[in-house]
Amino acid sequence: MRAVIVYLIKLYFFWLLLFACNRLVFFAVEHRMLAGIPVHLALAAFRYALPLDSSTACYSLAIPFLLLMAAYISGRSGWMKACRYSVLALIFLHCATAYGEAALYTEWQTKLNYAALAHFANPSEVFRSASAFLIILFFGLTILLGSCYYWVYLKAVHRKTIGTSIKSSRRIAIGAALLAALGFLIFTGIRGGWKRFPISLSISYYSVFPVLNDAAVNPAWGLLFNLKQ
């Protein structure tokens, strides 16, 4: 049981670290737009980003959590391999979203949204209109940093097994209790607590500078919000 909880805590903070690093990349790419903005105001984006980053981290825990519980209840390590692959896919999905947004922001000064994704229905047109720099930026950062994040995950977070010596009947009972309790906590994190209304985009808006507000909104969370509208 302890191994399950420790793994999820580590994975949660891993996602927060990944989002913070990707925000640094966004600032580096858009550094010209930050000219004249006080440094302390730009750094505040990391603090105001935490609610949506936390919600996105909990979204990103959901599939690995279910696979982790399958590994615990069944006692089979194969589920942990599936968990590793799910995290790998999520890492590259978050990187592609973040760096695609950074490239888009350079051209349109807008976050990644449905209208931008619609252009990818015709990939050849996208590649003809985008500069070579932006194409290299997107693929280079996604592959390079995505690989680095995955290496960090393997070294600091991943477990090959969630083994236990207790008998299967007790393991199933404990697993069911964990599934309910931890699942409730993850859903609470996704929702942003139990206020009347769930967490919203505006919680990360804090500045008169649009680029800072856009930087504080988690790219994946913002895209999901836009697609649901």
Side-chain angles (χ1 to χ4, degrees), residues 15-29:
W15 290 127
L16 292 184
L17 178 62
L18 183 149
F19 300 148
C21 290
N22 282 350
R23 190 162 291 110
L24 277 175
V25 172
F26 177 86
F27 280 145
V29 173

Side-chain angles (χ1 to χ4, degrees), residues 72-217:
Y72 181 83
I73 292 171
S74 68
R76 296 179 179 176
S77 59
W79 288 106
M80 289 308 297
K81 184 180 290 186
C83 184
R84 173 164 60 90
Y85 289 137
S86 73
V87 172
L88 173 63
L90 287 167
I91 286 172
F92 279 95
L93 185 61
H94 280 304
C95 287
T97 303
Y99 309 144
E101 180 170 287
L104 179 72
Y105 209 91
T106 301
E107 295 287 330
W108 294 356
Q109 286 76 58
T110 186
K111 292 184 70 64
L112 192 61
N113 52 37
Y114 175 78
L117 288 179
H119 286 279
F120 285 92
N122 189 349
S124 60
E125 181 183 336
V126 174
F127 287 113
R128 281 199 305 269
S129 60
S131 68
F133 169 75
L134 291 180
I135 293 172
I136 294 171
L137 177 78
F138 171 71
F139 285 106
L141 288 178
T142 300
I143 295 170
L144 178 62
L145 292 185
S147 299
C148 289
Y149 292 144
Y150 183 55
W151 181 85
V152 171
Y153 166 77
L154 290 178
K155 294 297 182 181
V157 181
H158 185 66
R159 293 179 61 98
K160 291 184 178 179
T161 61
I162 301 289
T164 177
S165 58
I166 62 177
K167 59 183 181 180
S168 61
S169 58
R170 189 182 176 195
R171 189 170 63 242
I172 291 171
I174 293 174
L178 284 174
L179 188 63
L182 296 178
F184 176 79
L185 287 177
I186 290 172
F187 180 75
T188 300
I190 289 173
R191 194 179 185 277
W194 288 101
K195 297 178 182 178
R196 182 178 178 183
F197 298 105
I199 196 170
S200 67
L201 201 69
S202 61
I203 199 169
S204 290
Y205 290 171
Y206 72 100
S207 172
V208 296
F209 299 101
V211 65
L212 297 185
N213 294 329
D214 289 335
V217 173

Side-chain angles (χ1 to χ4, degrees), residues 21-86:
C21 290
N22 282 350
R23 190 162 291 110
L24 277 175
V25 172
F26 177 86
F27 280 145
V29 173
E30 312 301 338
H31 65 277
R32 291 185 180 87
M33 295 185 187
L34 300 178
I37 298 177
V39 173
H40 74 274
L41 198 58
L43 292 177
F46 292 88
R47 175 164 60 90
Y48 284 92
L50 279 175
L52 293 185
D53 279 358
S54 180
S55 176
T56 311
C58 289
Y59 270 115
S60 303
L61 284 177
I63 294 176
F65 167 65
L66 293 176
L67 294 172
L68 181 71
M69 294 313 305
Y72 181 83
I73 292 171
S74 68
R76 296 179 179 176
S77 59
W79 288 106
M80 289 308 297
K81 184 180 290 186
C83 184
R84 173 164 60 90
Y85 289 137
S86 73

